Amino acid sequence: RQHDNVGTAFGSWLDIWLSSDMEKWSISDLLGDIKCPVGVIQGTDDAFGTEAQLDVVTAALPPTQVRTRMVSNASHDIHKEHPALIVDMWQDL
């Protein structure tokens, strides 16, 4: 829906994602530079991430700056599955 040539768009993303350079790519060392409030939401059924991602962010930022939430019965599309939860979390930041 979003691309004229889905095969090309997906292939470009896949080539980068599976490259050997991606194995060592990380933004963890940059997290401490963030100055605004941060909200991190992870679904328990997300096939692309784990609770460890929340741990990395909370370790890098002051507790007053970050809110995390693990959402039960949620996949990678939490914003579609639980939109009200997302709105509520942002209002708490």
Side-chain angles (χ1 to χ4, degrees):
R1 283 187 320 181
Q2 306 300 323
H3 302 283
D4 292 331
N5 188 325
V6 174
T8 299
F10 180 77
S12 298
W13 169 84
L14 185 63
D15 289 345
I16 292 168
W17 190 252
L18 296 178
S19 73
S20 59
D21 287 337
M22 186 56 83
E23 289 182 33
K24 54 188 173 244
W25 180 81
S26 175
I27 63 164
S28 297
D29 58 331
L30 302 174
L31 292 173
D33 294 338
I34 297 173
K35 303 300 178 210
C36 63
V38 174
V40 186
I41 303 170
Q42 182 70 50
T44 58
D45 301 328
D46 189 338
F48 302 102
T50 69
E51 192 169 357
Q53 291 171 296
L54 279 68
D55 297 338
V56 169
V57 175
T58 56
L61 297 171
T64 56
Q65 185 181 351
V66 64
R67 298 279 191 289
T68 63
R69 185 170 297 165
M70 286 296 297
V71 181
S72 298
N73 303 314
S75 70
H76 195 64
D77 294 321
I78 297 174
H79 62 290
K80 293 178 183 175
E81 298 166 346
H82 304 282
L85 183 142
I86 304 301
V87 171
D88 289 346
M89 184 173 177
W90 291 130
Q91 290 177 350
D92 290 342
L93 285 175

